[in-house]
Amino acid sequence: MDDVVIGIDASTTAVKAIAFARDGAELFQARETYPLSNPAPGHFEQDAEHWWAALLSALKQVADKIGASRVKAISIAHQRESFTLIDGAGKPLIPAILWLDERARRQVTRLSEELGREAIRDWSGKPPDPTPALYALAWLMEHKPNVLAEAAALVDVHAFFAHRLTGRLVTSTASADPLGLLDIAKGTWHPRLVEAAGLRPQQLPELIVPGAICGLLSEDIAAATGLKAGTPVVAGAGDGQAMGLGMGVDGPGKSYLSLGSGVVSGSYSAMVTTSDAFRTLVSPTGSGFMLETVLRSGMQLVDWIVRITGSPSAAVLEKAAMTAAPGSDGLLVMPYWAGVMSPYWDGAARGAVVGLSLDHEPRHLFRAVLEGIAFEQAIATDAMEEQTGKAAAMIAAGGGTNCALLMEIMANVLERPLFVSPVNEAAALGAAMLAATAIGWFASPEDAAKAMAGPPARRVDPVEALIPTYRARKAIYRDLYHATRDIHARLASLRKTSG
């Protein structure tokens, strides 16, 4: 029986603990869900104890199935930006505030004015936006100062788990970075950002590089899970970076494209560089950086269209949309149903459908939404590749890869072939690669990625004859946000007044 490593993926909805072999084969997966709370408009929270209970259960299932003696290391990938505050005994003092939370929009404005918008972006690598924890912490400083002052520590998901698994209060730089409190160039806590968050330096976890050993599994946790005491717990990364590594994006010349509810893309950069066009993140390999773009509304727009049109399924609409010509008979869709992060960082922005006529049918709207997602991605990719150079390979994963029409449109608009990853659980696999490297299976995370990621499942090529058509429409699409920005800002102002 061969040895295995466990990759943990603690997402917004569930903890997955997956046993992987040395070749990256998934041997067994345990998944435990937990609830999401929305106690007030824009507030999204979870009980960190639910994360912990789910992790213990998932690890026990893996140990029972695989055998404790086979498990040689554990590593953690997780939902980014989400955090809680703990007391000296490690117990949460508040519900965890999630990356989805938008309560701190006023704090984004305040800190941008006080510290300078560009200064925050260049220090942290993140243009000001409610997603990083910095702003929710500033909200706590204003609304719950006592709990913030009395907390023993701020913990991201990684630090919360590592502390309970090993007794050591430590997190990975690639896990802490999305909180928005790191000096991206130095990989250390930034004093001005920590102060702006209302924290003291002693309230922060120790930082180590991804792939370093956080500590060893304690006796009591070993007893609770069935794993062996002393099993190394390896520093992982946020799920976005870990996903890229799991898809084989381990250095220059490659980029990843995750087509899920949102659309996330990333490219490796050897040098630190910051821009409104992307977020800059610590690389999960511990060397270099990942430039990342995020479109909040991705495949969830497909679900939305199915719902509002009353169509039996997305497959039925997709089949109909294939009969619509490229360009959707003059329709353009700006897919900002949930606002926009890169490159405009505008929470007031909303979706727009332009060019409607009495001749349009649901099939045109479906195709136009897919084209809008592709146009948005192409603009984001262009901006990233001004810094990194054009990627020789773009590797796609996520539910959207099952939509053949979207993949065809993406290849045409991006003007390159897309390679579909064979990996379903890329974030957990990325964590497993770091575990495998830490215990000496591979010399580096890059070597682990080459051995464990596997060859592409398929390739989708662009149709050269359609590239000019899409290129002309992309040029028009590029102006759509600027044409509607003030209108959406005025509508948002009216919503606030009436609300």
Short mmCIF file of all heavy atoms in Angstrom, two decimals, residues 190-221:
data_model
loop_
_atom_site.label_atom_id
_atom_site.label_comp_id
_atom_site.label_asym_id
_atom_site.label_seq_id
_atom_site.Cartn_x
_atom_site.Cartn_y
_atom_site.Cartn_z
N HIS A 190 2.46 44.43 7.34
CA HIS A 190 2.77 45.83 7.09
C HIS A 190 2.31 46.68 8.28
O HIS A 190 1.12 46.71 8.59
CB HIS A 190 2.07 46.31 5.81
CG HIS A 190 2.61 47.61 5.29
ND1 HIS A 190 2.37 48.80 5.92
CD2 HIS A 190 3.38 47.90 4.21
CE1 HIS A 190 2.97 49.78 5.26
NE2 HIS A 190 3.59 49.26 4.22
N PRO A 191 3.21 47.40 8.94
CA PRO A 191 2.83 48.12 10.16
C PRO A 191 1.68 49.10 9.98
O PRO A 191 0.79 49.17 10.82
CB PRO A 191 4.13 48.84 10.55
CG PRO A 191 5.22 48.08 9.89
CD PRO A 191 4.64 47.53 8.63
N ARG A 192 1.66 49.85 8.88
CA ARG A 192 0.61 50.85 8.67
C ARG A 192 -0.74 50.18 8.44
O ARG A 192 -1.78 50.66 8.93
CB ARG A 192 0.96 51.74 7.47
CG ARG A 192 2.15 52.64 7.68
CD ARG A 192 1.87 53.80 8.64
NE ARG A 192 0.78 54.64 8.18
CZ ARG A 192 0.89 55.60 7.24
NH1 ARG A 192 2.06 55.80 6.64
NH2 ARG A 192 -0.14 56.34 6.92
N LEU A 193 -0.75 49.07 7.71
CA LEU A 193 -2.01 48.38 7.45
C LEU A 193 -2.52 47.68 8.71
O LEU A 193 -3.73 47.67 8.97
CB LEU A 193 -1.82 47.37 6.32
CG LEU A 193 -1.49 47.98 4.95
CD1 LEU A 193 -1.16 46.89 3.94
CD2 LEU A 193 -2.64 48.85 4.45
N VAL A 194 -1.61 47.12 9.49
CA VAL A 194 -2.01 46.49 10.75
C VAL A 194 -2.60 47.54 11.69
O VAL A 194 -3.64 47.31 12.33
CB VAL A 194 -0.79 45.80 11.40
CG1 VAL A 194 -1.12 45.35 12.83
CG2 VAL A 194 -0.36 44.61 10.56
N GLU A 195 -1.98 48.70 11.75
CA GLU A 195 -2.50 49.78 12.59
C GLU A 195 -3.86 50.25 12.10
O GLU A 195 -4.78 50.48 12.90
CB GLU A 195 -1.51 50.95 12.59
CG GLU A 195 -1.94 52.14 13.43
CD GLU A 195 -0.99 53.31 13.32
OE1 GLU A 195 -0.13 53.31 12.39
OE2 GLU A 195 -1.11 54.25 14.12
N ALA A 196 -4.02 50.37 10.79
CA ALA A 196 -5.29 50.81 10.22
C ALA A 196 -6.41 49.82 10.51
O ALA A 196 -7.59 50.20 10.60
CB ALA A 196 -5.15 51.01 8.71
N ALA A 197 -6.05 48.54 10.67
CA ALA A 197 -7.04 47.51 10.99
C ALA A 197 -7.40 47.49 12.47
O ALA A 197 -8.31 46.75 12.86
CB ALA A 197 -6.50 46.14 10.58
N GLY A 198 -6.71 48.29 13.28
CA GLY A 198 -7.00 48.32 14.71
C GLY A 198 -6.35 47.20 15.48
O GLY A 198 -6.79 46.88 16.59
N LEU A 199 -5.30 46.61 14.93
CA LEU A 199 -4.64 45.48 15.56
C LEU A 199 -3.28 45.86 16.13
O LEU A 199 -2.66 46.85 15.71
CB LEU A 199 -4.44 44.35 14.55
CG LEU A 199 -5.70 43.68 14.01
CD1 LEU A 199 -5.36 42.81 12.81
CD2 LEU A 199 -6.38 42.85 15.11
N ARG A 200 -2.81 45.05 17.08
CA ARG A 200 -1.45 45.17 17.60
C ARG A 200 -0.60 44.04 17.01
O ARG A 200 -1.12 42.94 16.75
CB ARG A 200 -1.45 45.08 19.12
CG ARG A 200 -2.33 46.09 19.81
CD ARG A 200 -2.27 45.96 21.33
NE ARG A 200 -2.68 44.65 21.81
CZ ARG A 200 -3.95 44.27 22.00
NH1 ARG A 200 -4.94 45.11 21.72
NH2 ARG A 200 -4.23 43.06 22.46
N PRO A 201 0.68 44.24 16.81
CA PRO A 201 1.52 43.20 16.20
C PRO A 201 1.45 41.86 16.91
O PRO A 201 1.50 40.80 16.27
CB PRO A 201 2.93 43.80 16.27
CG PRO A 201 2.71 45.28 16.27
CD PRO A 201 1.43 45.50 17.03
N GLN A 202 1.30 41.87 18.24
CA GLN A 202 1.27 40.61 18.99
C GLN A 202 -0.03 39.83 18.78
O GLN A 202 -0.15 38.69 19.24
CB GLN A 202 1.50 40.86 20.48
CG GLN A 202 0.52 41.81 21.15
CD GLN A 202 1.01 43.25 21.15
OE1 GLN A 202 1.69 43.68 20.22
NE2 GLN A 202 0.70 43.97 22.22
N GLN A 203 -1.00 40.43 18.11
CA GLN A 203 -2.25 39.73 17.80
C GLN A 203 -2.19 38.96 16.48
O GLN A 203 -3.18 38.35 16.08
CB GLN A 203 -3.41 40.72 17.75
CG GLN A 203 -3.79 41.35 19.08
CD GLN A 203 -4.87 42.41 18.91
OE1 GLN A 203 -4.66 43.43 18.26
NE2 GLN A 203 -6.03 42.16 19.50
N LEU A 204 -1.04 38.96 15.83
CA LEU A 204 -0.94 38.37 14.50
C LEU A 204 -0.20 37.04 14.55
O LEU A 204 0.77 36.88 15.29
CB LEU A 204 -0.19 39.33 13.57
CG LEU A 204 -0.87 40.68 13.38
CD1 LEU A 204 0.07 41.65 12.69
CD2 LEU A 204 -2.16 40.52 12.58
N PRO A 205 -0.62 36.07 13.75
CA PRO A 205 0.07 34.78 13.69
C PRO A 205 1.48 34.93 13.13
O PRO A 205 1.78 35.88 12.38
CB PRO A 205 -0.80 33.94 12.75
CG PRO A 205 -2.11 34.64 12.68
CD PRO A 205 -1.82 36.09 12.89
N GLU A 206 2.32 33.98 13.46
CA GLU A 206 3.64 33.89 12.84
C GLU A 206 3.47 33.54 11.37
O GLU A 206 2.59 32.78 10.99
CB GLU A 206 4.45 32.80 13.54
CG GLU A 206 5.83 32.58 12.98
CD GLU A 206 6.54 31.40 13.62
OE1 GLU A 206 6.01 30.83 14.60
OE2 GLU A 206 7.62 31.02 13.11
N LEU A 207 4.30 34.12 10.53
CA LEU A 207 4.25 33.88 9.09
C LEU A 207 5.37 32.93 8.66
O LEU A 207 6.52 33.12 9.05
CB LEU A 207 4.37 35.19 8.31
CG LEU A 207 3.23 36.19 8.44
CD1 LEU A 207 3.64 37.53 7.84
CD2 LEU A 207 1.97 35.66 7.77
N ILE A 208 5.02 31.93 7.84
CA ILE A 208 6.02 31.06 7.23
C ILE A 208 5.67 30.89 5.76
O ILE A 208 4.54 31.15 5.35
CB ILE A 208 6.11 29.68 7.93
CG1 ILE A 208 4.77 28.95 7.87
CG2 ILE A 208 6.58 29.84 9.36
CD1 ILE A 208 4.82 27.54 8.44
N VAL A 209 6.62 30.45 4.97
CA VAL A 209 6.38 30.33 3.54
C VAL A 209 5.56 29.08 3.27
O VAL A 209 5.61 28.09 4.02
CB VAL A 209 7.70 30.25 2.75
CG1 VAL A 209 8.49 31.55 2.90
CG2 VAL A 209 8.54 29.05 3.18
N PRO A 210 4.75 29.09 2.20
CA PRO A 210 4.02 27.87 1.84
C PRO A 210 4.98 26.72 1.58
O PRO A 210 6.06 26.91 1.01
CB PRO A 210 3.25 28.27 0.58
CG PRO A 210 3.92 29.50 0.07
CD PRO A 210 4.51 30.19 1.24
N GLY A 211 4.59 25.55 2.06
CA GLY A 211 5.44 24.37 1.91
C GLY A 211 6.32 24.10 3.11
O GLY A 211 6.90 23.02 3.22
N ALA A 212 6.42 25.07 4.05
CA ALA A 212 7.15 24.83 5.29
C ALA A 212 6.26 24.03 6.25
O ALA A 212 5.04 24.05 6.14
CB ALA A 212 7.58 26.15 5.92
N ILE A 213 6.86 23.34 7.19
CA ILE A 213 6.08 22.57 8.15
C ILE A 213 5.63 23.48 9.29
O ILE A 213 6.45 24.11 9.97
CB ILE A 213 6.90 21.38 8.68
CG1 ILE A 213 7.16 20.39 7.54
CG2 ILE A 213 6.17 20.68 9.83
CD1 ILE A 213 8.03 19.21 7.92
N CYS A 214 4.30 23.57 9.47
CA CYS A 214 3.72 24.39 10.53
C CYS A 214 3.98 23.78 11.90
O CYS A 214 4.21 24.48 12.89
CB CYS A 214 2.21 24.50 10.37
SG CYS A 214 1.65 25.29 8.87
N GLY A 215 3.91 22.47 11.97
CA GLY A 215 4.03 21.76 13.23
C GLY A 215 3.59 20.31 13.01
O GLY A 215 3.34 19.89 11.87
N LEU A 216 3.50 19.58 14.10
CA LEU A 216 3.13 18.17 14.04
C LEU A 216 1.77 17.96 14.69
O LEU A 216 1.42 18.63 15.66
CB LEU A 216 4.20 17.32 14.73
CG LEU A 216 5.63 17.52 14.24
CD1 LEU A 216 6.58 16.64 15.03
CD2 LEU A 216 5.75 17.25 12.74
N LEU A 217 1.02 17.02 14.14
CA LEU A 217 -0.33 16.73 14.64
C LEU A 217 -0.25 16.32 16.11
O LEU A 217 0.53 15.43 16.48
CB LEU A 217 -0.95 15.62 13.81
CG LEU A 217 -2.47 15.46 13.90
CD1 LEU A 217 -3.18 16.65 13.27
CD2 LEU A 217 -2.91 14.17 13.21
N SER A 218 -1.04 16.99 16.95
CA SER A 218 -0.97 16.75 18.39
C SER A 218 -1.61 15.42 18.76
O SER A 218 -2.39 14.84 17.99
CB SER A 218 -1.66 17.89 19.14
OG SER A 218 -3.06 17.87 18.86
N GLU A 219 -1.31 14.96 19.97
CA GLU A 219 -1.82 13.67 20.45
C GLU A 219 -3.35 13.66 20.51
O GLU A 219 -3.99 12.70 20.10
CB GLU A 219 -1.24 13.37 21.83
CG GLU A 219 0.25 13.13 21.86
CD GLU A 219 0.62 11.70 21.46
OE1 GLU A 219 -0.31 10.89 21.22
OE2 GLU A 219 1.82 11.40 21.37
N ASP A 220 -3.95 14.74 21.03
CA ASP A 220 -5.40 14.74 21.20
C ASP A 220 -6.13 14.80 19.86
O ASP A 220 -7.17 14.16 19.68
CB ASP A 220 -5.85 15.87 22.12
CG ASP A 220 -5.43 17.24 21.64
OD1 ASP A 220 -4.42 17.34 20.91
OD2 ASP A 220 -6.11 18.23 21.99
N ILE A 221 -5.56 15.53 18.91
CA ILE A 221 -6.20 15.60 17.59
C ILE A 221 -6.00 14.28 16.84
O ILE A 221 -6.88 13.83 16.11
CB ILE A 221 -5.65 16.78 16.76
CG1 ILE A 221 -5.87 18.10 17.51
CG2 ILE A 221 -6.32 16.83 15.39
CD1 ILE A 221 -7.32 18.36 17.93
#
